[in-house]
Amino acid sequence: MGATKAAAEEIEVAGHTVRLSSPDRVIFPQRGFTKADVFHYYLSVGDGIMRALRDRPTTLQRFPEGIEGEMFFQKRVPARGVPPWVQTAEISFPSGRKAAELCPADLAHVAWAAQMGTVVLHPWPVRATDVDRPDELRIDLDPQPGTDFTHAVTAAGELRALLDELGVTGWPKTSGGRGVHVYLRIQPRWTFVEVRRATIALARELERRRPELVTTAWWKEERGSRVFVDFNQMARDRTIACAYSLRANARATVSTPVHWDELTEVDPDDFDLRTVPARIAERGDPHAGIDDAPWDLTPLLEWAERDAAAGQGDLPYPPEYPKMPGEPKRVQPSKDRDRPRA
């Protein structure tokens, strides 16, 4: 006879009862971490994960049978079978279609997502009070082939100096892989298009200062062995795993907030399901002050206007997006027959 399956549990979280079924189902086979481990991990980082998720429409990356099984992104909360206390927010996709996404109001929402087999949480950079104006500018420093985490850290250090000149605080975290994410809390006054253009302007200034290290080239064939600033992470419906989210890899790493001064010392593999709760208990959350001083984005928008006047306008959107006003052609340079040749 096979081993007896563990019984379902009912757990009180933030004043709600959340059911945890199949708690012994293995989610991370190489580490032996179970569904219960994932569930209780998210409870253990409650303050930090809610600082990242509260009132944000959130896409769920679900692995009902574990990370080696089927994966899908859930952007719509089902109309049936959902606890009555689960809150949603209506968001609009680039196509114009709409969806009611999970919008965590408390930690019970995260626990419910874990019960549903969610491993990675992908919040939008907006709040439910205004789903069309971001309050979070996200800078994704993505190492390309031939570069690694140390290059992303170096690029992040250059970014920090640039942000210091602008008088704005950046909040870094590991991606859970080879990259580094830096967040800016901004005033929710501008559209996705405007915030994306501001991100491009910031990325271009970083590229000018360290062209051998940083690139804004959308086409992979032009990036070389540099760190790509993925400006399209600020396009509508493009999301990044949030602070304290697990990542779906063999080590069960966590996208972990860090202090600037420790960024050069850390190894992203050291931050995982087992180690991060102890880190928070000992050191607190490095992003604890992220909401204290939302920034006026105007300086970056002025840079964007300056660049446009100099002939550096918009950059391509992802292929699934409708053609955007002012966007250049979405043609791979090596296949562009109209491109001037040297």
Side-chain angles (χ1 to χ4, degrees):
M1 295 179 61
T4 303
K5 292 184 178 180
E9 305 172 42
E10 290 191 343
I11 300 169
E12 289 296 312
V13 183
H16 302 292
T17 300
V18 182
R19 178 180 172 83
L20 173 60
S21 62
S22 304
D24 56 351
R25 176 175 294 151
V26 176
I27 303 299
F28 291 93
Q30 291 193 32
R31 301 294 302 277
F33 295 149
T34 64
K35 185 177 177 182
D37 291 327
V38 171
F39 187 97
H40 289 290
Y41 164 77
Y42 278 122
L43 297 188
S44 73
V45 297
D47 287 346
I49 196 97
M50 288 310 301
R51 189 170 289 112
L53 289 177
R54 190 180 305 278
D55 299 328
R56 296 191 184 281
T58 301
T59 299
L60 308 180
Q61 189 176 359
R62 293 176 57 189
F63 297 80
E65 302 301 323
I67 65 164
E68 295 181 357
E70 179 186 4
M71 181 278 287
F72 61 95
F73 289 95
Q74 182 168 335
K75 297 188 176 186
R76 290 177 170 82
V77 171
R80 298 180 180 179
V82 176
W85 46 264
V86 167
Q87 296 189 26
T88 62
E90 186 177 80
I91 47 87
S92 298
F93 299 117
S95 65
R97 293 181 298 108
K98 298 181 183 297
E101 282 207 332
L102 182 71
C103 190
D106 54 38
L107 191 56
H109 289 70
V110 183
W112 175 79
Q115 153 62 14
M116 299 296 289
T118 300
V119 171
V120 190
L121 296 143
H122 297 266
W124 282 46
V126 301
R127 307 279 187 175
T129 50
D130 192 340
V131 295
D132 295 315
R133 287 177 171 78
D135 73 329
E136 191 166 73
L137 188 154
R138 301 166 175 177
I139 303 143
D140 181 5
L141 301 173
D142 183 12
Q144 299 303 291
T147 62
D148 56 22
F149 180 71
T150 60
H151 296 89
V153 168
T154 302
E158 297 289 341
L159 175 63
R160 182 189 186 187
L162 182 53
L163 296 177
D164 285 346
E165 292 176 23
L166 289 165
V168 58
T169 299
W171 302 88
K173 67 182 179 73
T174 66
S175 69
R178 301 187 311 135
V180 174
H181 301 154
V182 180
Y183 286 5
L184 308 183
R185 185 66 80 242
I186 62 174
Q187 298 167 7
R189 295 166 45 194
W190 297 276
T191 66
F192 274 96
V193 170
E194 290 170 319
V195 177
R196 177 180 172 275
R197 288 299 306 277
T199 306
I200 291 171
L202 182 61
R204 279 175 165 156
E205 184 62 25
L206 190 61
E207 182 180 32
R208 289 186 195 104
R209 297 186 179 199
R210 292 296 302 272
E212 83 294 351
L213 174 67
V214 173
T215 180
T216 60
W218 174 245
W219 302 102
K220 291 182 179 180
E221 64 186 32
E222 295 186 321
R223 292 178 189 170
S225 297
R226 292 179 287 178
V227 176
F228 172 52
V229 185
D230 190 354
F231 52 86
N232 270 330
Q233 293 292 8
M234 284 310 306
R236 180 185 290 272
D237 193 34
R238 292 291 283 256
T239 56
I240 298 175
C242 72
Y244 298 110
S245 175
L246 291 163
R247 303 309 307 267
N249 55 40
R251 285 195 53 79
T253 61
V254 172
S255 184
T256 305
V258 295
H259 295 288
W260 279 112
D261 293 342
E262 66 177 333
L263 185 58
T264 57
E265 306 297 328
V266 301
D267 183 331
D269 279 352
D270 290 341
F271 301 137
D272 63 26
L273 183 152
R274 280 284 181 256
T275 62
V276 168
R279 171 182 164 84
I280 292 180
E282 178 183 349
R283 302 189 181 192
D285 179 10
H287 282 194
I290 194 171
D291 293 315
D292 291 349
W295 187 55
D296 182 339
L297 200 58
T298 300
L300 292 187
L301 295 173
E302 291 174 348
W303 285 8
E305 291 300 319
R306 174 202 66 189
D307 289 348
Q312 286 189 307
D314 204 356
L315 290 171
Y317 276 77
E320 70 271 18
Y321 280 65
K323 183 70 174 178
M324 299 295 287
E327 181 190 1
K329 292 194 299 182
R330 292 183 202 168
V331 180
Q332 188 174 332
S334 60
K335 297 181 179 179
D336 185 359
R337 296 180 179 178
D338 298 327
R339 185 182 177 91
R341 304 295 176 184

